[in-house]
Amino acid sequence: MMLPSSASSSSSSPAGGNSFFTGFTRLCKGLAVILVGGYVLLQVFPSAVTYVALIPARTIPFAWNLITAGYVEQSLPGVVISTIGLLLFGKLLEPLWGSKEFLKFIIVVNFLTSICIFVTAIILYYITRQESYLYTPLSGFHGVLSGFLVGIKQIIPDQELSLFFLLKIKAKWVPTIVALVSVAISFFTTESVSYLPTILFGIYMSWIYLRYFQKKPETGLKGDPSDEFSFSSFFPEFLRPILDPFASVFDWALCGKSETYSEMRGHTLGGTPLPGSGPIEASRRRERGARALEERLAAEKVAVTGSTDVISHGNAAENV
């Protein structure tokens, strides 16, 4: 579990732990109910997995599984991690993006991730001729969870996060670390096909959406063309000169003819400044993210202090 490093002191007490797991949004609670409900459905009706999970060989007649697969967990650890991750990440991202944009992000990333997994499974089948790529039920919310990490990288890249209460790393490196760890684990397990493509495509699809297509209501512009959120920013500095030429091809292919994106890129390259565009908007977004995080931590600290005062006053009254 990842926590902001400044929250570690408050989360160490019982009151702090309780306050950390409160204040979830109504949308996140509703989505959590869907995740839990999907898991319960599969436990009561196991045959339902053939209709709601992504089975590439059955996707053509059952095309809706491209949508439903992302909201169905097949294991208890999966539904627990997905539910907790949704509630905690949503607590930070939804107030900044807005409920409508937050839900749109989940729907788009889930759908695009499912399409990529479907295409990859078909390609792997034709290469290897292994039917397991066609008939293995694939599902899970971990693609969107990986996408949330990209959103946090965009908003608070330099915020230190506590990983499992032990390691402190900057938020901008979390998606990369998750991807590397997932790839490393895949060499030691035969079930990597059930999670690795979802995590990798979830990270990549969420970056594409946030980089090129997410609309900013305050400016009317789309995407985030700042250098701090470029594709090469996911990799160490020494690799960026190699990756930048390839990334420029994606820039041209996805938004090379987009007037809005071209204007925003023009600003970053020294063109005429646009209100709310380019690095200025990216800086404002990071400031809003950091401010929202500080306000949430301050509120939790106040809650912890208030609870401590109540307990201390109660003890004093008993002593009297």
Side-chain angles (χ1 to χ4, degrees):
M1 181 181 297
M2 290 175 297
L3 297 172
S5 58
S6 55
S8 58
S9 59
S10 62
S11 61
S12 60
S13 63
N18 292 333
S19 64
F20 184 79
F21 288 97
T22 57
F24 304 124
T25 66
R26 184 178 301 177
L27 174 59
C28 287
K29 290 178 181 178
L31 292 172
V33 170
I34 293 176
L35 293 177
V36 175
Y39 172 75
V40 173
L41 174 67
L42 295 186
Q43 304 311 305
V44 178
F45 303 103
S47 60
V49 71
T50 59
Y51 297 97
V52 296
L54 175 59
I55 302 177
R58 301 170 61 91
T59 297
I60 299 303
F62 302 147
W64 62 79
N65 62 32
L66 291 171
I67 299 175
T68 59
Y71 307 97
V72 177
E73 291 288 352
Q74 300 182 47
S75 66
L76 181 58
V79 71
V80 170
I81 293 173
S82 294
T83 302
I84 294 177
L86 167 65
L87 293 174
L88 294 182
F89 288 135
K91 190 176 179 181
L92 174 62
L93 294 175
E94 186 181 343
L96 297 174
W97 288 350
S99 298
K100 183 178 179 180
E101 176 57 38
F102 183 74
L103 180 60
K104 181 181 178 182
F105 174 86
I106 292 175
I107 294 174
V108 170
V109 171
N110 244 335
F111 182 64
L112 293 180
T113 300
S114 294
I115 290 179
C116 291
I117 293 173
F118 170 74
V119 173
T120 302
I122 298 298
I123 293 175
L124 289 175
Y125 166 73
Y126 279 109
I127 293 176
T128 65
R129 293 296 175 178
Q130 295 184 18
E131 293 188 352
S132 60
Y133 290 117
L134 295 181
Y135 294 99
T136 300
L138 304 173
S139 66
F141 196 71
H142 39 290
V144 174
L145 290 184
S146 303
F148 288 156
L149 299 178
V150 179
I152 291 177
K153 166 187 168 66
Q154 180 192 37
I155 295 172
I156 48 173
D158 295 321
Q159 175 70 43
E160 285 191 342
L161 303 177
S162 297
L163 189 63
F164 299 107
F165 304 97
L166 297 175
L167 302 176
K168 291 184 179 181
I169 56 176
K170 290 187 176 181
K172 63 182 178 181
W173 295 119
V174 174
T176 303
I177 292 175
V178 169
L180 290 176
V181 171
S182 300
V183 172
I185 294 177
S186 68
F187 289 104
F188 302 97
T189 177
T190 58
E191 299 179 354
S192 59
V193 67
S194 64
Y195 70 87
L196 183 59
T198 307
I199 291 176
L200 297 182
F201 284 127
I203 291 175
Y204 189 58
M205 291 298 107
S206 61
W207 173 77
I208 286 181
Y209 176 74
L210 295 174
R211 175 72 167 174
Y212 299 106
F213 301 110
Q214 186 185 52
K215 188 173 183 179
K216 309 300 185 298
E218 63 271 19
T219 64
L221 301 177
K222 292 183 179 181
D224 180 358
S226 62
D227 293 336
E228 293 81 3
F229 196 59
S230 63
F231 180 74
S232 59
S233 69
F234 287 80
F235 299 88
E237 191 75 30
F238 69 92
L239 292 176
R240 296 180 185 180
I242 302 174
L243 295 171
D244 282 336
F246 295 97
S248 64
V249 174
F250 286 99
D251 283 343
W252 178 87
L254 289 170
C255 290
K257 298 180 181 180
S258 170
E259 181 179 353
T260 300
Y261 190 80
S262 297
E263 290 176 352
M264 295 172 72
R265 286 298 297 173
H267 170 76
T268 63
L269 296 176
T272 303
L274 294 174
S277 65
I280 297 177
E281 171 59 24
S283 177
R284 289 175 179 173
R285 181 164 47 251
R286 288 191 293 270
E287 290 175 359
R288 289 196 300 270
R291 186 166 55 251
L293 181 61
E294 290 175 358
E295 291 174 354
R296 180 168 64 81
L297 295 177
E300 292 176 357
K301 186 175 182 180
V302 170
V304 173
T305 304
S307 301
T308 304
D309 291 341
V310 171
I311 295 173
S312 61
H313 288 315
N315 293 336
E318 291 178 359
N319 294 333
V320 173

